[in-house]
Amino acid sequence: RAGIAVRAGRARTRPIWDNRRLRRRCRLALRPGFPAPCPHGVRVVSVSVPFFVTSSANSSTASTASASLHWARSWRLFAILVLGFASGLPLALTGQAMQAWLTVDGIDLATIGFFGLVGVPYTFKFLWAPLMDRFEPPLLGRRRGWLVLTQFALAGLLWWMSSLSPASTPKLFALAAVLVAFLSASQDVVVDAYRTDLLPEHERGLGASVHVFAYRLAMILSGGIALIWAGQWQSWPQVYKVMAIIMAGCALVSLLALPRVSAAFKALD
């Protein structure tokens, strides 16, 4: 610190603290209850601020922000879990579960072999994937709109399949199976796009793991547990009705609880 002394019309700089008297007076001014001001018009004011006030406020803000981030991440992963389950559920219903139903109804092996072709839409889904990315259903947005539409349509088609008989109406049954496979493949396209838009880059690895876990879990339900239920209930139509109800539940979650993502087109890197 420096002070200004004026002598003979000139100003020169000298250190204040070089003067012992000034140092002593300022030390006295810092004592509690000392009324005299510090020299050169400087008044010393002591303000005591508890150190824990600022640290407590910062800690509270940091904990609130951390809780919000944790909740948002959990919500995103829950959405991926539900969508992965919805993606895996119809696959076995047009595969091994359907073939078991055909066998129980006494369909010959050649016809069962032709029914295996209903899975062809899974191979060619890349043909209409650009159309689903280009056009946006009203009200719900591009991603959530297609998800809700495909899932409710899948639930309706599975319920319709439960009312058909492979032995008496094989053509209608085959048509319903092809439509289920087509909508299931379309749903897979939208789920992959939604997962990419929803998750930050550092969460995509974990999101892919959650998706595969839920996908396999749904396949166990529709391909393994469905066979157990069919044996216990002695009714494949009843099994398909239960699967339709489960798919409708997934569609309701997509309609009401999925996080929204931006519908804007993103440039490719």
Side-chain angles (χ1 to χ4, degrees), residues 13 15 34 60 96 105 113 116 127 137 144 167 189 194 198 201 216 230 236:
T13 304
F34 192 81
S60 177
Q96 60 186 20
D105 276 17
L127 295 176
R144 293 175 66 247
V189 171
Y194 179 83
L198 177 66
E201 188 173 355
R216 295 296 182 182
W236 273 106

Side-chain angles (χ1 to χ4, degrees), residues 74-163:
S74 301
W75 189 17
R76 290 193 297 267
L77 293 179
F78 172 75
I80 298 304
L81 184 72
V82 173
L83 293 180
F85 186 87
S87 294
L89 191 67
L91 182 61
L93 298 178
T94 55
Q96 60 186 20
M98 186 185 66
Q99 293 174 0
W101 186 0
L102 295 174
T103 303
V104 170
D105 276 17
I107 306 300
D108 59 276
L109 292 178
T111 305
I112 294 177
F114 280 113
F115 269 94
L117 297 176
V118 299
V120 170
Y122 288 100
T123 305
F124 295 99
K125 61 184 178 182
F126 66 92
L127 295 176
W128 60 87
L131 298 177
M132 302 186 73
D133 192 62
R134 173 64 180 84
F135 297 102
E136 178 178 346
L139 301 178
L140 296 176
R142 180 176 294 112
R143 306 304 185 205
R144 293 175 66 247
W146 284 117
L147 284 172
V148 173
L149 287 177
T150 54
Q151 289 171 0
F152 273 119
L154 280 168
L157 283 172
L158 290 174
W159 191 274
W160 182 40
M161 283 186 69
S162 68
S163 65

